[in-house]
Amino acid sequence: MQLLKYLQSQGLGSRKQCQWLIDNDCVTINGALWNNPKSVIEPDTVKTLNIDGDDVVVVPMPYFYILLNKPADFETSHKPQQYPSVFSLFPDHMRNIDMQAVGRLDADTTGVLLITNDGQFNHRMTSPKHKAAKIYRVTLKHAADDSLCETLKHGVLLHDDNETVRAAEAFLADEKTLIMTITEGKYHQVKRMVAAAGNRVEHLHRDKFSDWDTQDLGFGEWKFI
Ligand code: URA
């Protein structure tokens, strides 16, 4: 990939801006100055990228996959209405790159959120056919017993929906903590299922999405996977 194109792919500016960076000796890759816009760079070989004295995050190309531990009070949207966008948690230059969340978490929901520029991966992970498991830790308003889990596994009819939805797995960690696995991603699905089963969600945290969990990440932290 040409150096100029590579810098653009990293979200570092327009063609003109990236040309300026190269012409003004502002681009250092793996410790060496790159000042010929026509040089060819193999994206996989880039370990460090320094622009005008600042190290910037190197985004794997052509595809990247990010695991974010979403904090509360952030919206999974590029056009948030009430809270800041989850995309504001990333460095400035990454916001110029096509980044799409794999499904959504509500503003008040925390935990595993995948972000990618790979549309096929996104489609596969969100398609109900693929049955990617999503495990939620649900803090309940009312103390519950195993009958709640049985109801959720048996299936509940969601308001305004003609379909019964079932939890793939459900158990109580304690009387107010439900661990529930679902394989679809309907709008407010967990909150609506728990409400349909006669309880209420006080807090929702996604512990796991398919193979990924946030055990080594604090809220707002992220990593490439
Ligand atoms: N189900 C919900 O109700 N909310 C979420 O954020 C995710 C799943």
Side-chain angles (χ1 to χ4, degrees):
M1 186 186 268
Q2 271 197 355
L3 177 61
L4 187 59
K5 281 239 149 47
Y6 177 72
L7 296 180
Q8 284 182 267
S9 80
Q10 293 293 304
L12 291 165
S14 64
R15 194 184 161 80
K16 211 171 151 189
Q17 288 164 328
C18 292
Q19 180 77 53
W20 189 93
L21 291 173
I22 296 167
D23 291 345
N24 286 278
D25 290 348
C26 294
V27 181
T28 303
I29 297 175
N30 298 338
L33 181 69
W34 283 60
N35 55 7
N36 179 354
K38 293 218 169 78
S39 327
V40 172
I41 182 104
E42 197 49 64
D44 285 353
T45 63
V46 179
K47 302 286 175 255
T48 62
L49 176 57
N50 185 291
I51 302 294
D52 202 14
D54 291 326
D55 282 333
V56 299
V57 171
V58 179
V59 181
M61 286 292 161
Y63 297 118
F64 62 84
Y65 308 88
I66 287 171
L67 169 57
L68 166 71
N69 188 359
K70 180 191 170 296
D73 299 340
F74 280 82
E75 290 183 30
T76 313
S77 169
H78 282 286
K79 293 194 177 132
Q81 313 262 311
Q82 199 184 350
Y83 297 103
S85 161
V86 288
F87 300 104
S88 69
L89 294 163
F90 296 91
D92 282 350
H93 74 97
M94 288 179 68
R95 283 184 244 156
N96 300 323
I97 298 172
D98 171 37
M99 297 175 88
Q100 302 297 332
V102 179
R104 279 169 181 249
L105 289 178
D106 297 335
D108 56 353
T109 302
T110 56
V112 178
L113 184 65
L114 301 179
I115 292 173
T116 184
N117 63 343
D118 180 347
Q120 278 190 8
F121 171 80
N122 198 334
H123 184 259
R124 207 168 58 242
M125 297 308 285
T126 49
S127 155
K129 270 194 226 146
H130 186 69
K131 292 196 182 300
K134 281 147 282 202
I135 305 181
Y136 291 90
R137 177 173 295 268
V138 186
T139 307
L140 298 165
K141 182 169 171 81
H142 309 292
D145 59 29
D146 286 341
S147 67
L148 174 72
C149 304
E150 292 314 312
T151 304
L152 292 165
K153 285 192 284 188
H154 184 254
V156 289
L157 196 60
L158 299 181
H159 186 58
D160 283 345
D161 229 330
N162 283 332
E163 244 181 296
T164 300
V165 280
R166 293 179 181 81
E169 189 51 77
F171 63 90
L172 289 171
D174 60 55
E175 60 177 16
K176 282 196 174 182
T177 308
L178 167 71
I179 311 294
M180 173 163 144
T181 306
I182 57 173
T183 57
E184 315 91 337
K186 290 175 184 287
Y187 180 67
H188 291 332
Q189 183 169 338
V190 174
K191 290 174 186 165
R192 289 161 74 211
M193 285 178 74
V194 169
N199 207 309
R200 203 180 143 161
V201 173
E202 287 273 278
H203 179 66
L204 190 56
H205 178 83
R206 183 151 69 189
D207 270 341
K208 213 166 170 193
F209 189 145
S210 192
D211 290 336
W212 297 284
D213 63 48
T214 54
Q215 272 173 11
D216 53 345
L217 297 174
F219 290 123
E221 290 182 344
W222 60 274
K223 63 180 181 183
F224 291 113
I225 50 172

